[in-house]
Amino acid sequence: MFRPDKRELDWPVGKSASMQHGVAGRKPLEDKDEHAACETAARRPAILVANDDGIKAPGIRALVRELLLFCDVTVCAPSGERSAQSHAITLGRYLSAFPSEHMLDACPGVVEAWAVDGTPADSVMLGLHSNCLKTRNFDLMVSGINRGDNCGRHVIYSGTVAAAREASCTGLPAMAFSLDNHKARRMDDYAVAAKLCASLVKAALGLLPGQVSPPANHLSGIVLNVNVPSPASSHIKGYHLTHQSNAGIFPAFKEIQEPTGAHLAEIDEHTPDSRVFRNYAGTEHADHQKGGDDWAIRGGYVSITPLGLRSCIPSRMQTAFDDANGRVLAATGSVITAAAADMGLLAGGCATRS
């Protein structure tokens, strides 16, 4: 499990000591098929990366640089800021994609990088369902690192989570990464989070010591929603398996007086009776219930919440749901404990299954 000499992680984090370990193949492997895993151990895994802050954002660059140490990275992300777009997709117009020289220059070694003039979900959908990219054969899809947390009800609106969810719709295991720091505007602000997230990626791919097969094999159709505490915490205690809380921020619309102009072009009609409103952040609704994502990051833990594609509350076939959920939780727990051991941190919320 995790190391007996558990310790808190001071900012900043040092480099991981396990980058030299073997690599699992892109095609899912059965747990018992160790021979096939060995045959593909010499090949670097392929990862698709997107976000919602835009392809030039510092969070995605920090993450890509860490991933390049052990993966082949392809980037297909929005051309600009697309926060809070949820799972919106573009149907009424054409989508344009162009090579991002900015990403290629900032992160040498990237296989290819495309900027898309659409939503986060558009970017992933285009990457996985068109001939835009050189390959559509990926081991994992990751989204982020987002500027600001995506705990609780923020999941509903998050473009970061939606990008990962779009990948999971195809059966591709996916992870969404967010940093609880809205002031993070430089790559250095994401350095620690990028290392913590990279360790989770290695654990999901089965690259860490003691792992026989990739836990990602059991995470098809699942998004691991990862939230990293703000550096204001000064210490990271560990990784924690969590549930989605009810934390969120209520809207606070304010009416503003603005002359008609190009900046109001999104409004189809302007009449003398038109009124203009802006959505500002309002009252914060906290949820500190133990085991929740908001509780974890407030307590100095990196929160990992498995999210499924279904929104219903299961009634029939309950046993089947329980079995499937059990496999997901077991796989998520193995990711957390492996990453915690890799980083010398605590692993919380991971009950051992017989």
Side-chain angles (χ1 to χ4, degrees), residues 4-52:
D5 58 333
K6 301 177 287 289
R7 64 184 186 275
E8 292 185 346
L9 179 63
D10 294 321
W11 298 73
V13 177
K15 289 186 177 180
S16 170
S18 59
M19 295 174 181
Q20 74 275 17
H21 290 280
V23 176
R26 297 181 191 179
K27 295 182 179 179
L29 302 172
E30 297 296 332
D31 287 2
K32 62 183 179 180
D33 198 354
E34 298 180 33
H35 178 68
C38 293
E39 287 182 344
T40 56
R43 181 175 53 76
R44 287 159 64 91
I47 293 186
L48 176 63
V49 182
N51 72 344
D52 76 353

Side-chain angles (χ1 to χ4, degrees), residues 272-295:
D273 296 325
S274 293
R275 301 169 67 187
V276 180
F277 297 84
R278 181 167 181 177
N279 188 356
Y280 291 89
T283 304
E284 181 178 359
H285 175 78
D287 181 358
H288 301 311
Q289 181 181 0
K290 185 175 181 179
D293 48 18
D294 190 52
W295 166 85

Side-chain angles (χ1 to χ4, degrees), residues 164 168 172-175 218-224 305-309 328 332:
S168 73
L172 183 63
M175 308 175 83
H218 304 286
L219 295 173
S220 177
I222 299 296
V223 174
L224 295 187
T305 309
L307 303 176
L309 295 175
V328 168
T332 305

Side-chain angles (χ1 to χ4, degrees), residues 137-187:
N137 187 21
F138 297 101
D139 297 289
L140 187 71
M141 184 273 161
V142 300
S143 180
I145 300 169
N146 187 65
R147 181 171 65 89
D149 77 275
N150 276 307
C151 293
R153 298 176 187 175
H154 294 172
V155 169
I156 300 171
Y157 308 102
S158 169
T160 302
V161 174
R165 188 189 301 116
E166 181 57 41
S168 73
C169 287
T170 70
L172 183 63
M175 308 175 83
F177 299 125
S178 303
L179 173 63
D180 183 30
N181 182 6
H182 288 277
K183 297 180 180 180
R185 298 185 182 276
R186 300 175 299 115
M187 277 189 62

Side-chain angles (χ1 to χ4, degrees), residues 10-228:
D10 294 321
W11 298 73
V13 177
K15 289 186 177 180
S16 170
S18 59
M19 295 174 181
Q20 74 275 17
H21 290 280
V23 176
R26 297 181 191 179
K27 295 182 179 179
L29 302 172
E30 297 296 332
D31 287 2
K32 62 183 179 180
D33 198 354
E34 298 180 33
H35 178 68
C38 293
E39 287 182 344
T40 56
R43 181 175 53 76
R44 287 159 64 91
I47 293 186
L48 176 63
V49 182
N51 72 344
D52 76 353
D53 290 331
I55 200 165
K56 294 183 179 180
I60 192 172
R61 284 182 285 142
L63 178 62
V64 167
R65 286 190 178 183
E66 285 295 322
L67 297 178
L68 282 170
L69 295 174
F70 59 96
C71 292
D72 291 336
V73 178
T74 297
V75 181
C76 193
S79 56
E81 171 72 51
R82 301 290 191 277
S83 293
Q85 294 294 295
S86 189
H87 211 117
I89 59 174
T90 300
L91 297 177
R93 64 174 179 84
Y94 298 136
L95 279 178
S96 174
F98 54 92
S100 174
E101 297 299 329
H102 184 275
M103 174 61 71
L104 294 173
D105 291 342
C107 302
V110 169
V111 175
E112 55 182 329
W114 291 87
V116 180
D117 69 336
T119 67
D122 279 333
S123 301
V124 177
M125 188 177 286
L126 184 70
L128 296 178
H129 298 280
S130 76
N131 63 352
C132 178
L133 304 179
K134 296 175 182 177
T135 180
R136 285 176 277 173
N137 187 21
F138 297 101
D139 297 289
L140 187 71
M141 184 273 161
V142 300
S143 180
I145 300 169
N146 187 65
R147 181 171 65 89
D149 77 275
N150 276 307
C151 293
R153 298 176 187 175
H154 294 172
V155 169
I156 300 171
Y157 308 102
S158 169
T160 302
V161 174
R165 188 189 301 116
E166 181 57 41
S168 73
C169 287
T170 70
L172 183 63
M175 308 175 83
F177 299 125
S178 303
L179 173 63
D180 183 30
N181 182 6
H182 288 277
K183 297 180 180 180
R185 298 185 182 276
R186 300 175 299 115
M187 277 189 62
D188 288 347
D189 296 328
Y190 295 87
V192 173
K195 293 181 185 299
L196 291 164
C197 293
S199 185
L200 287 169
V201 171
K202 283 186 271 188
L205 293 172
L207 308 185
L208 296 177
Q211 292 186 288
V212 176
S213 65
N217 289 349
H218 304 286
L219 295 173
S220 177
I222 299 296
V223 174
L224 295 187
N225 185 31
V226 179
N227 285 277
V228 180

